[in-house]
Amino acid sequence: MGINLISDTVTKPTPEMLKAMFSAEVGDDVFKHDPSVNALEEKAAAMFKMEAALFFPSGTMTNQTAIKLHTQAGEQLICDKYAHVYNYEGGGVSFNSGVSCKLVDGERGMMTALQVKKAINPPDFYHSPLTSLVCIENTTNKGGGACWDLNDLVEIKEVCTENNLSYHLDGARLWNALVAGNHSPEVFGELFDSISVCLSKGLGCPVGSLLVGDRVLIDKALRIRKVLGGGMRQAGYLAAAGIYALDNHIDRLKEDHGKAKELASTLADMSYVKKVEPTETNIVIFEIRESEMTDTAFIELMGKKNIQLIGMGDGKLRMVTHLDYTEQMHYEVIRVLKSI
Ligand SMILES: Cc1ncc(COP(=O)(O)O)c(C=O)c1O
């Protein structure tokens, strides 16, 4: 039995989700004729109390579309140095939008309002790129699934409003933050100009992300999605998985969080572990003592024991708990970690 902890994206649809997919009513979504996609978009918009939503094949495409919508070529966005939009979207910020990133040296992927304020280029100083957008990520991926304090997000919103900047949330794992912080989605809907949420991570769908925002923005997003090649035809089969997941897979994220915390506390007790980062949701980031083993040797050793994890650079290792990570697998991983 292989145990895959490299990401929460490795899940396969449950039998119940597959049933919902097989029985979906579908149509051509490029003509907006797919009832299941339309229902999913309406459901997501209502959850966030925002005007509209649009279904996309990936979280990269929702983020890239949002950046395109909020910026013009030559402008600059502000994000943390750990941001997914900067580190892991293939340079899409410059490729798609001709935009640069001003990186902020935040804490576990999270910035303060003061840091954001200081990162804004004076708008009348035409030698610098014009700052037009702030992107934040919740939970932070490279920051170990950390959840933002709502007050910090409100303070950054104020900076955005004062300085005429758009405010985008990369909420690939926002569901985890909602469950961990016991927040309702509408709290986030009130704050941001656009929100990207993924269905294909903790919620266990095979494919799919949504961009949520006001009607004007989402109408424009339809064109960008088409340009990027993200217009899908009978996508209702995938949307049905999304509807199922929104109804059935949000609350259970606390199980993933519980298991991640147990992994973190087991690791913290091991003499071969140098450091474990605080674990708030489903991502565990830790380092191995160099005197004991290299990070790659640890990955190899775990691989031999049928457990897969991933390196995040700088000696950091990552394990992510998810829907397909069972109790039985969890006991096995804890047993192996203790046996090393
Ligand atoms: C924080 C964050 N944003 C965006 C994405 C991109 O999502 P996708 O893999 O669907 O393109 C990911 C993927 O892991 C992510 O972790």
Side-chain angles (χ1 to χ4, degrees):
M1 174 183 60
I3 302 177
N4 192 341
L5 291 171
I6 67 170
S7 179
D8 47 9
T9 55
V10 301
T11 56
K12 295 182 185 147
T14 60
E16 295 78 14
M17 183 182 278
L18 274 178
K19 212 165 139 199
M21 293 171 76
F22 277 127
S23 54
E25 223 187 299
V26 299
D28 187 336
D29 183 49
V30 172
F31 291 103
K32 299 300 285 168
H33 289 170
D34 188 304
S36 301
V37 174
N38 294 342
L40 172 66
E41 292 174 347
E42 276 164 32
K43 187 177 178 70
M47 283 175 90
F48 286 93
K49 284 225 166 80
M50 291 176 102
E51 286 174 8
L54 192 64
F55 187 50
F56 281 73
S58 73
T60 300
M61 205 185 277
T62 41
N63 280 335
Q64 292 301 318
T65 298
I67 292 166
K68 186 79 186 160
L69 287 166
H70 294 304
T71 61
Q72 296 294 324
E75 293 180 352
Q76 193 162 69
L77 65 80
I78 296 171
C79 63
D80 184 89
K81 63 181 187 302
Y82 280 1
H84 195 277
V85 293
Y86 172 72
N87 288 289
Y88 302 120
E89 298 188 8
V93 170
S94 51
F95 189 91
N96 297 313
S97 300
V99 163
S100 57
C101 297
K102 173 83 77 79
L103 298 183
V104 171
D105 187 15
E107 189 57 36
R108 299 172 64 223
M110 297 175 289
M111 320 175 270
T112 65
L114 187 62
Q115 285 178 309
V116 171
K117 201 169 174 174
K118 284 187 178 160
I120 301 170
N121 295 327
D124 50 357
F125 187 69
Y126 54 81
H127 304 269
S128 319
L130 184 70
T131 310
S132 47
L133 171 66
V134 175
C135 285
I136 76 109
E137 192 175 306
N138 197 19
T139 68
T140 66
N141 178 346
K142 209 170 155 67
C147 302
W148 286 70
D149 186 308
L150 263 186
N151 291 330
D152 292 339
L153 293 176
V154 172
E155 282 177 23
I156 295 178
K157 162 82 175 171
E158 282 160 10
V159 172
C160 290
T161 309
E162 279 160 21
N163 293 277
N164 206 17
L165 310 178
S166 299
Y167 197 23
H168 172 68
L169 167 59
D170 174 357
R173 294 185 181 79
L174 184 61
W175 314 113
N176 298 84
L178 293 178
V179 167
N182 206 14
H183 299 302
S184 72
E186 60 196 75
V187 177
F188 289 84
E190 266 171 33
L191 280 179
F192 290 92
D193 297 306
S194 54
I195 300 179
S196 157
V197 284
C198 291
L199 303 165
S200 58
K201 302 196 167 64
L203 297 195
C205 295
V207 175
S209 294
L210 288 147
L211 186 66
V212 199
D214 69 26
R215 171 56 60 198
V216 173
L217 190 90
I218 297 302
D219 282 351
K220 288 185 187 157
L222 193 58
R223 182 183 296 272
I224 311 292
R225 189 185 70 176
K226 185 73 183 131
V227 172
L228 296 176
M232 299 180 283
R233 301 295 176 174
Q234 284 68 31
Y237 294 115
L238 301 171
I243 293 171
Y244 181 86
L246 291 177
D247 287 337
N248 297 283
H249 287 173
I250 296 182
D251 284 348
R252 64 149 305 285
L253 289 171
K254 43 177 147 4
E255 294 168 30
D256 299 345
H257 299 177
K259 288 190 185 110
K261 283 177 187 161
E262 280 167 15
L263 291 177
S265 70
T266 304
L267 283 164
D269 288 342
M270 299 298 119
S271 58
Y272 60 83
V273 173
K274 181 164 129 195
K275 184 182 171 197
V276 187
E277 294 193 3
T279 303
E280 291 172 61
T281 54
N282 67 331
I283 302 180
V284 187
I285 293 191
F286 62 102
E287 291 171 46
I288 301 292
R289 274 186 212 289
E290 295 90 346
S291 54
E292 297 279 340
M293 215 181 312
T294 63
D295 51 339
T296 43
F298 186 78
I299 293 175
E300 257 179 53
L301 179 67
M302 292 291 277
K304 285 191 186 129
K305 294 173 190 292
N306 274 326
I307 300 166
Q308 286 173 267
L309 65 156
I310 203 169
M312 298 290 282
D314 300 328
K316 291 185 182 188
L317 296 170
R318 188 183 81 169
M319 297 197 291
V320 188
T321 57
H322 51 74
L323 186 60
D324 288 357
Y325 177 58
T326 61
E327 286 291 330
Q328 199 192 346
M329 292 175 180
H330 186 52
Y331 292 132
E332 171 64 4
V333 175
I334 289 187
R335 187 192 68 73
V336 168
L337 290 175
K338 287 183 175 169
S339 73
I340 292 172

